[in-house]
Amino acid sequence: MNKPIRKAVLPVAGLGTRFLPATKAVPKEMLTIVDRPIIQYVVDEARAGGIEHIVFVTGRNKQVIEDHFDIAYELEDTLRTRNKTAALELLEKHRPQPGSTSFTRQQAPLGLGHAIWCARDIIGDEPFAILLPDVIIKSQVSCLKQMVDLYEHTGGNIIAVEEVPEDQTHNYGIVELSDRIAANASRISNMVEKPAPGTAPSNLMITGRYILQPEIFDLLSSQDTGAGGEIQLTDSMLSMMKGQHFASLKFEGRSYDCGNKAGFLSANIAFGMDDPKLAEQLVPFMEEMIKQPLAAE
Ligand code: G1P
């Protein structure tokens, strides 16, 4: 029987320089998609995947994330006095249970691998999930739940993957697959972080959702820097592949890379369209915008 996946690590220490000046005082994870901060989508996905405890790896200026997942006494008291039951219920629904979150700091921005390593004591000796909050996934079934379902059959390590255009592969971690093990899952035979243009082993990117065995922490602790001069999670996973098996899952759904502006805006439109009242207003607006010449023309 495979050990259950109870804990997830959400690395939220990134500076968000691509969204300055919006992210000068507000963490990028708190930017909103329709009416929820990005981080809320990721936490909801984790909880729908059965996660009981979330470890946030934060940095300086990220306190507001902690506040977001706490009780807002004054606000809630005012809502109660005004009988705003629906708003109160909404806040309660999204609030984690007491004691089901931990916050630890990555003191210096040394890379994703280092951020995950910072969670080692809180995770302990059990398999766990990682969800990168730059990426939000729109799907019928939570992407992490799809991964956990696969993990229950395969055990080991699982990485969510999806196709990217060839000219984008240098922006991501890329995997190479071997044998198929289920309809949408295969064994991973190789992976490389941010391959130079033209050298990627495939067009399958690592989407930012992982289930990993705790041995990854030993590898992370002794790791050199890789792509971009940072300690890369992909490099430690590649080392771990020598002794453990890794499977890929082509999940059902679509990811939005909210680490860049086009992905962030697309996510706002895609999730906005889910609300029929918003869709009614958005569709004519988008039709009007499409008819307009592009600014560069
Ligand atoms: C990270 C990972 C990369 C993955 C990407 C997904 O890169 O290192 O393997 O493909 O997230 O968004 P980053 O975006 O932090 O540079």
Side-chain angles (χ1 to χ4, degrees):
M1 170 101 169
N2 298 314
K3 273 194 186 174
I5 309 299
R6 300 188 313 114
K7 297 179 187 171
V9 180
L10 273 57
V12 292
L15 298 175
T17 45
R18 273 184 273 182
F19 282 90
L20 283 169
T23 48
K24 192 175 164 199
V26 176
K28 63 174 174 174
E29 298 80 10
M30 291 302 291
L31 299 179
T32 47
I33 306 293
V34 190
D35 54 6
R36 280 189 272 164
I38 292 173
I39 192 73
Q40 183 76 62
Y41 286 85
V42 182
V43 166
D44 291 349
E45 180 194 331
R47 291 168 78 189
I51 295 299
E52 295 165 13
H53 192 107
I54 294 185
V55 183
F56 295 87
V57 180
T58 71
R60 285 175 286 283
N61 298 330
K62 301 280 182 169
Q63 293 90 333
V64 67
I65 296 178
E66 204 162 336
D67 293 341
H68 178 74
F69 291 105
D70 197 359
I71 293 176
Y73 272 108
E74 220 176 279
L75 169 68
E76 293 181 30
D77 191 51
T78 309
L79 292 175
R80 217 166 280 119
T81 318
R82 295 187 187 166
N83 282 324
K84 302 267 186 200
T85 346
L88 269 171
E89 280 171 10
L90 184 77
L91 294 182
E92 263 160 36
K93 187 177 128 206
H94 285 297
R95 189 186 311 128
Q97 289 297 310
S100 67
T101 52
S102 297
F103 295 81
T104 186
R105 276 196 185 188
Q106 183 189 26
Q107 294 162 336
L110 301 178
L112 176 61
H114 179 261
I116 301 305
W117 178 76
C118 290
R120 65 199 180 283
D121 281 354
I122 308 175
I123 296 297
D125 189 25
E126 57 182 278
F128 64 104
I130 300 172
L131 295 92
L132 305 189
D134 268 355
V135 180
I136 59 175
I137 298 177
K138 195 163 182 298
S139 57
Q140 293 286 327
V141 177
S142 142
C143 176
L144 189 67
K145 167 88 172 78
Q146 297 177 43
M147 294 172 73
V148 167
D149 288 347
L150 175 66
Y151 168 83
E152 279 166 6
H153 289 101
T154 61
N157 304 272
I158 298 182
I159 300 178
V161 300
E162 68 188 311
E163 288 171 10
V164 276
E166 305 278 349
D167 63 354
Q168 298 284 315
T169 50
H170 65 283
N171 291 322
Y172 299 101
I174 302 292
V175 299
E176 193 175 353
L177 306 183
S178 58
D179 320 340
R180 182 170 285 229
I181 48 181
N184 46 8
S186 296
R187 208 163 278 268
I188 297 176
S189 56
N190 189 17
M191 60 180 86
V192 48
E193 182 67 20
K194 309 214 169 67
T199 67
S202 80
N203 66 342
L204 287 175
M205 69 169 265
I206 298 174
T207 303
R209 301 291 184 268
Y210 313 76
I211 288 176
L212 295 178
Q213 297 297 321
E215 289 76 23
I216 195 74
F217 293 119
D218 298 335
L219 293 155
L220 287 170
S221 67
S222 59
Q223 198 194 296
D224 295 331
T225 52
E230 296 189 337
I231 298 175
Q232 296 292 353
L233 178 62
T234 305
D235 295 342
S236 285
M237 293 194 299
L238 184 63
S239 302
M240 201 155 92
M241 272 174 53
K242 289 180 192 134
Q244 294 202 17
H245 67 84
F246 276 72
S248 65
L249 175 69
K250 273 194 190 175
F251 59 95
E252 304 211 346
R254 184 182 164 156
S255 75
Y256 294 88
D257 184 351
C258 295
N260 70 64
K261 288 175 196 165
F264 174 76
L265 291 172
S266 305
N268 262 297
I269 296 169
F271 282 91
M273 291 291 287
D274 276 351
D275 177 338
K277 283 198 187 124
L278 278 179
E280 215 172 274
Q281 298 170 59
L282 280 174
V283 171
F285 172 72
M286 287 190 289
E287 282 169 352
E288 188 192 319
M289 293 304 285
I290 285 165
K291 284 189 208 132
Q292 289 185 7
L294 292 174
E297 284 177 353

Short mmCIF file of all heavy atoms in Angstrom, two decimals, residues 250-295:
data_model
loop_
_atom_site.label_atom_id
_atom_site.label_comp_id
_atom_site.label_asym_id
_atom_site.label_seq_id
_atom_site.Cartn_x
_atom_site.Cartn_y
_atom_site.Cartn_z
N LYS A 250 -0.41 13.21 -18.25
CA LYS A 250 -1.01 14.25 -19.09
C LYS A 250 -2.41 14.46 -18.52
O LYS A 250 -3.34 13.72 -18.85
CB LYS A 250 -1.09 13.77 -20.54
CG LYS A 250 0.14 14.04 -21.35
CD LYS A 250 -0.17 13.85 -22.83
CE LYS A 250 1.09 13.88 -23.63
NZ LYS A 250 0.87 13.59 -25.04
N PHE A 251 -2.53 15.44 -17.68
CA PHE A 251 -3.79 15.64 -16.95
C PHE A 251 -4.87 16.19 -17.88
O PHE A 251 -4.57 16.76 -18.94
CB PHE A 251 -3.56 16.61 -15.79
CG PHE A 251 -3.05 17.96 -16.23
CD1 PHE A 251 -3.92 19.03 -16.44
CD2 PHE A 251 -1.70 18.15 -16.45
CE1 PHE A 251 -3.45 20.25 -16.86
CE2 PHE A 251 -1.22 19.38 -16.88
CZ PHE A 251 -2.10 20.43 -17.09
N GLU A 252 -6.11 16.01 -17.45
CA GLU A 252 -7.22 16.59 -18.22
C GLU A 252 -7.48 17.97 -17.66
O GLU A 252 -7.74 18.12 -16.47
CB GLU A 252 -8.45 15.71 -18.08
CG GLU A 252 -8.13 14.31 -18.50
CD GLU A 252 -9.29 13.57 -19.10
OE1 GLU A 252 -10.42 14.04 -18.95
OE2 GLU A 252 -9.02 12.53 -19.70
N GLY A 253 -7.40 18.97 -18.51
CA GLY A 253 -7.59 20.34 -18.06
C GLY A 253 -6.63 21.24 -18.80
O GLY A 253 -5.90 20.79 -19.69
N ARG A 254 -6.61 22.50 -18.40
CA ARG A 254 -5.73 23.44 -19.07
C ARG A 254 -5.03 24.31 -18.04
O ARG A 254 -5.65 24.76 -17.08
CB ARG A 254 -6.60 24.31 -19.99
CG ARG A 254 -5.74 25.22 -20.78
CD ARG A 254 -6.46 26.15 -21.67
NE ARG A 254 -5.43 27.13 -21.99
CZ ARG A 254 -5.41 27.88 -23.03
NH1 ARG A 254 -6.38 27.80 -23.90
NH2 ARG A 254 -4.45 28.76 -23.23
N SER A 255 -3.75 24.51 -18.25
CA SER A 255 -3.02 25.32 -17.27
C SER A 255 -2.87 26.76 -17.79
O SER A 255 -2.86 27.00 -19.00
CB SER A 255 -1.63 24.73 -17.02
OG SER A 255 -0.79 25.00 -18.11
N TYR A 256 -2.75 27.67 -16.84
CA TYR A 256 -2.49 29.08 -17.17
C TYR A 256 -1.25 29.50 -16.40
O TYR A 256 -1.23 29.40 -15.16
CB TYR A 256 -3.70 29.95 -16.77
CG TYR A 256 -4.91 29.63 -17.60
CD1 TYR A 256 -5.78 28.61 -17.21
CD2 TYR A 256 -5.15 30.29 -18.79
CE1 TYR A 256 -6.87 28.27 -17.99
CE2 TYR A 256 -6.24 29.96 -19.58
CZ TYR A 256 -7.09 28.95 -19.18
OH TYR A 256 -8.15 28.61 -19.96
N ASP A 257 -0.24 29.92 -17.11
CA ASP A 257 1.00 30.35 -16.47
C ASP A 257 0.82 31.81 -16.06
O ASP A 257 1.02 32.74 -16.86
CB ASP A 257 2.17 30.17 -17.45
CG ASP A 257 3.51 30.51 -16.80
OD1 ASP A 257 3.51 31.04 -15.67
OD2 ASP A 257 4.55 30.25 -17.42
N CYS A 258 0.43 32.01 -14.81
CA CYS A 258 0.15 33.37 -14.33
C CYS A 258 1.43 34.10 -13.95
O CYS A 258 1.38 35.21 -13.42
CB CYS A 258 -0.81 33.32 -13.15
SG CYS A 258 -2.41 32.69 -13.63
N GLY A 259 2.58 33.49 -14.22
CA GLY A 259 3.86 34.17 -14.03
C GLY A 259 4.15 35.12 -15.17
O GLY A 259 5.11 35.88 -15.11
N ASN A 260 3.35 35.05 -16.24
CA ASN A 260 3.51 36.06 -17.30
C ASN A 260 2.17 36.72 -17.59
O ASN A 260 1.10 36.16 -17.30
CB ASN A 260 4.18 35.46 -18.55
CG ASN A 260 3.26 34.51 -19.27
OD1 ASN A 260 2.21 34.90 -19.79
ND2 ASN A 260 3.63 33.24 -19.29
N LYS A 261 2.25 37.92 -18.16
CA LYS A 261 1.04 38.74 -18.29
C LYS A 261 -0.02 38.11 -19.19
O LYS A 261 -1.21 38.15 -18.88
CB LYS A 261 1.41 40.13 -18.81
CG LYS A 261 2.12 40.96 -17.76
CD LYS A 261 2.60 42.28 -18.32
CE LYS A 261 3.62 42.88 -17.37
NZ LYS A 261 4.39 43.96 -17.96
N ALA A 262 0.42 37.52 -20.30
CA ALA A 262 -0.57 36.93 -21.23
C ALA A 262 -1.31 35.78 -20.55
O ALA A 262 -2.54 35.66 -20.67
CB ALA A 262 0.14 36.43 -22.49
N GLY A 263 -0.58 34.95 -19.79
CA GLY A 263 -1.21 33.83 -19.09
C GLY A 263 -2.17 34.32 -18.02
O GLY A 263 -3.27 33.79 -17.84
N PHE A 264 -1.75 35.36 -17.31
CA PHE A 264 -2.56 35.94 -16.23
C PHE A 264 -3.87 36.50 -16.79
O PHE A 264 -4.96 36.25 -16.26
CB PHE A 264 -1.73 37.03 -15.54
CG PHE A 264 -2.47 37.81 -14.50
CD1 PHE A 264 -2.74 37.26 -13.26
CD2 PHE A 264 -2.89 39.10 -14.77
CE1 PHE A 264 -3.43 37.98 -12.30
CE2 PHE A 264 -3.57 39.85 -13.80
CZ PHE A 264 -3.84 39.28 -12.57
N LEU A 265 -3.77 37.26 -17.89
CA LEU A 265 -4.97 37.85 -18.49
C LEU A 265 -5.87 36.75 -19.07
O LEU A 265 -7.10 36.82 -18.95
CB LEU A 265 -4.59 38.86 -19.57
CG LEU A 265 -3.92 40.13 -19.03
CD1 LEU A 265 -3.40 41.00 -20.17
CD2 LEU A 265 -4.88 40.92 -18.15
N SER A 266 -5.25 35.74 -19.70
CA SER A 266 -6.05 34.64 -20.26
C SER A 266 -6.82 33.93 -19.15
O SER A 266 -7.99 33.56 -19.32
CB SER A 266 -5.16 33.61 -20.96
OG SER A 266 -4.36 34.23 -21.92
N ALA A 267 -6.16 33.73 -18.00
CA ALA A 267 -6.82 33.06 -16.88
C ALA A 267 -8.02 33.88 -16.41
O ALA A 267 -9.09 33.34 -16.12
CB ALA A 267 -5.84 32.86 -15.73
N ASN A 268 -7.86 35.19 -16.38
CA ASN A 268 -8.98 36.04 -15.96
C ASN A 268 -10.18 35.89 -16.90
O ASN A 268 -11.32 35.81 -16.45
CB ASN A 268 -8.53 37.51 -15.89
CG ASN A 268 -8.18 37.90 -14.47
OD1 ASN A 268 -9.03 37.89 -13.60
ND2 ASN A 268 -6.91 38.21 -14.24
N ILE A 269 -9.87 35.82 -18.19
CA ILE A 269 -10.98 35.66 -19.15
C ILE A 269 -11.60 34.26 -19.01
O ILE A 269 -12.81 34.12 -18.91
CB ILE A 269 -10.48 35.89 -20.59
CG1 ILE A 269 -10.02 37.35 -20.73
CG2 ILE A 269 -11.57 35.57 -21.61
CD1 ILE A 269 -9.27 37.65 -22.01
N ALA A 270 -10.73 33.23 -18.95
CA ALA A 270 -11.24 31.85 -18.91
C ALA A 270 -12.11 31.62 -17.66
O ALA A 270 -13.20 31.06 -17.75
CB ALA A 270 -10.08 30.88 -18.94
N PHE A 271 -11.63 32.06 -16.49
CA PHE A 271 -12.41 31.85 -15.27
C PHE A 271 -13.61 32.80 -15.22
O PHE A 271 -14.67 32.45 -14.70
CB PHE A 271 -11.53 31.99 -14.02
CG PHE A 271 -10.68 30.78 -13.77
CD1 PHE A 271 -9.40 30.69 -14.30
CD2 PHE A 271 -11.16 29.71 -13.04
CE1 PHE A 271 -8.61 29.56 -14.10
CE2 PHE A 271 -10.38 28.57 -12.82
CZ PHE A 271 -9.10 28.50 -13.36
N GLY A 272 -13.46 33.99 -15.79
CA GLY A 272 -14.59 34.93 -15.85
C GLY A 272 -15.73 34.37 -16.68
O GLY A 272 -16.91 34.53 -16.34
N MET A 273 -15.38 33.65 -17.74
CA MET A 273 -16.40 33.09 -18.63
C MET A 273 -17.22 31.99 -17.96
O MET A 273 -18.27 31.59 -18.45
CB MET A 273 -15.74 32.53 -19.90
CG MET A 273 -15.17 33.60 -20.81
SD MET A 273 -16.44 34.61 -21.59
CE MET A 273 -17.07 33.44 -22.77
N ASP A 274 -16.73 31.47 -16.83
CA ASP A 274 -17.47 30.44 -16.10
C ASP A 274 -18.72 31.01 -15.43
O ASP A 274 -19.62 30.28 -15.06
CB ASP A 274 -16.58 29.86 -14.98
CG ASP A 274 -15.70 28.76 -15.50
OD1 ASP A 274 -15.88 28.35 -16.66
OD2 ASP A 274 -14.81 28.31 -14.74
N ASP A 275 -18.72 32.31 -15.21
CA ASP A 275 -19.86 32.96 -14.55
C ASP A 275 -20.78 33.49 -15.66
O ASP A 275 -20.41 34.43 -16.38
CB ASP A 275 -19.32 34.10 -13.67
CG ASP A 275 -20.44 34.89 -13.00
OD1 ASP A 275 -21.59 34.86 -13.50
OD2 ASP A 275 -20.14 35.55 -12.00
N PRO A 276 -21.97 32.89 -15.80
CA PRO A 276 -22.84 33.27 -16.92
C PRO A 276 -23.11 34.77 -16.99
O PRO A 276 -23.15 35.35 -18.07
CB PRO A 276 -24.13 32.49 -16.67
CG PRO A 276 -23.74 31.40 -15.73
CD PRO A 276 -22.55 31.87 -14.95
N LYS A 277 -23.26 35.41 -15.83
CA LYS A 277 -23.55 36.86 -15.83
C LYS A 277 -22.37 37.65 -16.38
O LYS A 277 -22.53 38.62 -17.11
CB LYS A 277 -23.89 37.33 -14.42
CG LYS A 277 -25.28 36.96 -14.01
CD LYS A 277 -25.73 37.80 -12.83
CE LYS A 277 -27.06 37.30 -12.32
NZ LYS A 277 -27.02 36.95 -10.90
N LEU A 278 -21.15 37.22 -16.00
CA LEU A 278 -19.96 37.90 -16.51
C LEU A 278 -19.79 37.61 -18.00
O LEU A 278 -19.45 38.50 -18.79
CB LEU A 278 -18.72 37.43 -15.76
CG LEU A 278 -18.41 38.08 -14.41
CD1 LEU A 278 -17.15 37.47 -13.83
CD2 LEU A 278 -18.22 39.59 -14.59
N ALA A 279 -20.04 36.35 -18.38
CA ALA A 279 -19.87 35.95 -19.77
C ALA A 279 -20.76 36.79 -20.69
O ALA A 279 -20.34 37.22 -21.77
CB ALA A 279 -20.19 34.47 -19.93
N GLU A 280 -21.97 37.07 -20.22
CA GLU A 280 -22.91 37.88 -20.99
C GLU A 280 -22.33 39.25 -21.35
O GLU A 280 -22.58 39.78 -22.42
CB GLU A 280 -24.15 38.09 -20.11
CG GLU A 280 -25.46 38.13 -20.83
CD GLU A 280 -26.56 38.16 -19.80
OE1 GLU A 280 -26.98 37.08 -19.34
OE2 GLU A 280 -26.96 39.29 -19.42
N GLN A 281 -21.53 39.78 -20.43
CA GLN A 281 -20.93 41.09 -20.70
C GLN A 281 -19.57 40.98 -21.40
O GLN A 281 -19.20 41.86 -22.17
CB GLN A 281 -20.74 41.85 -19.38
CG GLN A 281 -22.05 42.12 -18.67
CD GLN A 281 -21.81 42.63 -17.26
OE1 GLN A 281 -21.16 43.66 -17.06
NE2 GLN A 281 -22.34 41.93 -16.29
N LEU A 282 -18.86 39.89 -21.10
CA LEU A 282 -17.52 39.74 -21.66
C LEU A 282 -17.54 39.44 -23.15
O LEU A 282 -16.71 39.96 -23.91
CB LEU A 282 -16.76 38.61 -20.94
CG LEU A 282 -16.15 38.94 -19.59
CD1 LEU A 282 -15.57 37.67 -18.95
CD2 LEU A 282 -15.04 39.98 -19.73
N VAL A 283 -18.49 38.58 -23.57
CA VAL A 283 -18.48 38.14 -24.97
C VAL A 283 -18.63 39.33 -25.94
O VAL A 283 -17.79 39.51 -26.83
CB VAL A 283 -19.53 37.04 -25.22
CG1 VAL A 283 -19.69 36.74 -26.70
CG2 VAL A 283 -19.14 35.78 -24.46
N PRO A 284 -19.66 40.18 -25.77
CA PRO A 284 -19.75 41.33 -26.70
C PRO A 284 -18.52 42.24 -26.62
O PRO A 284 -18.06 42.75 -27.63
CB PRO A 284 -21.00 42.08 -26.25
CG PRO A 284 -21.62 41.32 -25.17
CD PRO A 284 -20.76 40.14 -24.82
N PHE A 285 -17.96 42.37 -25.41
CA PHE A 285 -16.77 43.21 -25.27
C PHE A 285 -15.60 42.62 -26.05
O PHE A 285 -14.90 43.33 -26.78
CB PHE A 285 -16.40 43.35 -23.78
CG PHE A 285 -15.09 44.03 -23.56
CD1 PHE A 285 -14.96 45.40 -23.78
CD2 PHE A 285 -13.98 43.33 -23.15
CE1 PHE A 285 -13.74 46.03 -23.61
CE2 PHE A 285 -12.76 43.94 -22.97
CZ PHE A 285 -12.64 45.31 -23.20
N MET A 286 -15.41 41.30 -25.95
CA MET A 286 -14.28 40.67 -26.65
C MET A 286 -14.51 40.74 -28.16
O MET A 286 -13.56 40.97 -28.92
CB MET A 286 -14.10 39.23 -26.17
CG MET A 286 -13.50 39.19 -24.77
SD MET A 286 -12.99 37.56 -24.25
CE MET A 286 -14.54 36.75 -24.00
N GLU A 287 -15.74 40.58 -28.58
CA GLU A 287 -16.02 40.69 -30.03
C GLU A 287 -15.64 42.07 -30.54
O GLU A 287 -15.03 42.21 -31.59
CB GLU A 287 -17.51 40.39 -30.30
CG GLU A 287 -17.79 38.90 -30.27
CD GLU A 287 -19.28 38.57 -30.28
OE1 GLU A 287 -20.11 39.51 -30.15
OE2 GLU A 287 -19.60 37.38 -30.38
N GLU A 288 -15.99 43.06 -29.74
CA GLU A 288 -15.67 44.45 -30.11
C GLU A 288 -14.15 44.65 -30.17
O GLU A 288 -13.63 45.25 -31.11
CB GLU A 288 -16.28 45.35 -29.04
CG GLU A 288 -16.24 46.82 -29.33
CD GLU A 288 -16.60 47.59 -28.05
OE1 GLU A 288 -17.53 47.15 -27.32
OE2 GLU A 288 -15.92 48.59 -27.77
N MET A 289 -13.44 44.09 -29.18
CA MET A 289 -11.99 44.26 -29.13
C MET A 289 -11.29 43.58 -30.32
O MET A 289 -10.31 44.10 -30.85
CB MET A 289 -11.41 43.66 -27.83
CG MET A 289 -11.81 44.38 -26.56
SD MET A 289 -11.40 46.12 -26.56
CE MET A 289 -9.65 46.07 -26.29
N ILE A 290 -11.82 42.42 -30.70
CA ILE A 290 -11.18 41.66 -31.79
C ILE A 290 -11.27 42.45 -33.11
O ILE A 290 -10.37 42.42 -33.94
CB ILE A 290 -11.83 40.26 -31.92
CG1 ILE A 290 -11.32 39.38 -30.77
CG2 ILE A 290 -11.51 39.59 -33.25
CD1 ILE A 290 -12.11 38.12 -30.55
N LYS A 291 -12.36 43.20 -33.26
CA LYS A 291 -12.54 43.97 -34.50
C LYS A 291 -11.59 45.15 -34.59
O LYS A 291 -11.32 45.68 -35.66
CB LYS A 291 -13.99 44.47 -34.57
CG LYS A 291 -14.96 43.38 -34.96
CD LYS A 291 -16.32 43.96 -35.24
CE LYS A 291 -17.40 42.93 -34.96
NZ LYS A 291 -18.50 43.45 -34.16
N GLN A 292 -11.04 45.56 -33.44
CA GLN A 292 -10.16 46.74 -33.45
C GLN A 292 -8.77 46.36 -33.98
O GLN A 292 -8.28 45.29 -33.69
CB GLN A 292 -10.01 47.30 -32.04
CG GLN A 292 -11.28 47.97 -31.59
CD GLN A 292 -11.13 48.64 -30.25
OE1 GLN A 292 -10.02 48.71 -29.71
NE2 GLN A 292 -12.22 49.12 -29.73
N PRO A 293 -8.14 47.26 -34.73
CA PRO A 293 -6.78 46.95 -35.19
C PRO A 293 -5.81 46.85 -34.01
O PRO A 293 -6.02 47.51 -32.99
CB PRO A 293 -6.42 48.15 -36.08
CG PRO A 293 -7.39 49.21 -35.75
CD PRO A 293 -8.60 48.58 -35.16
N LEU A 294 -4.77 46.01 -34.15
CA LEU A 294 -3.78 45.88 -33.08
C LEU A 294 -3.01 47.18 -32.95
O LEU A 294 -2.76 47.87 -33.94
CB LEU A 294 -2.82 44.73 -33.37
CG LEU A 294 -3.42 43.33 -33.32
CD1 LEU A 294 -2.39 42.30 -33.77
CD2 LEU A 294 -3.89 43.01 -31.91
N ALA A 295 -2.59 47.50 -31.72
CA ALA A 295 -1.89 48.76 -31.45
C ALA A 295 -0.66 48.93 -32.33
O ALA A 295 -0.34 50.04 -32.77
CB ALA A 295 -1.51 48.83 -29.99
#
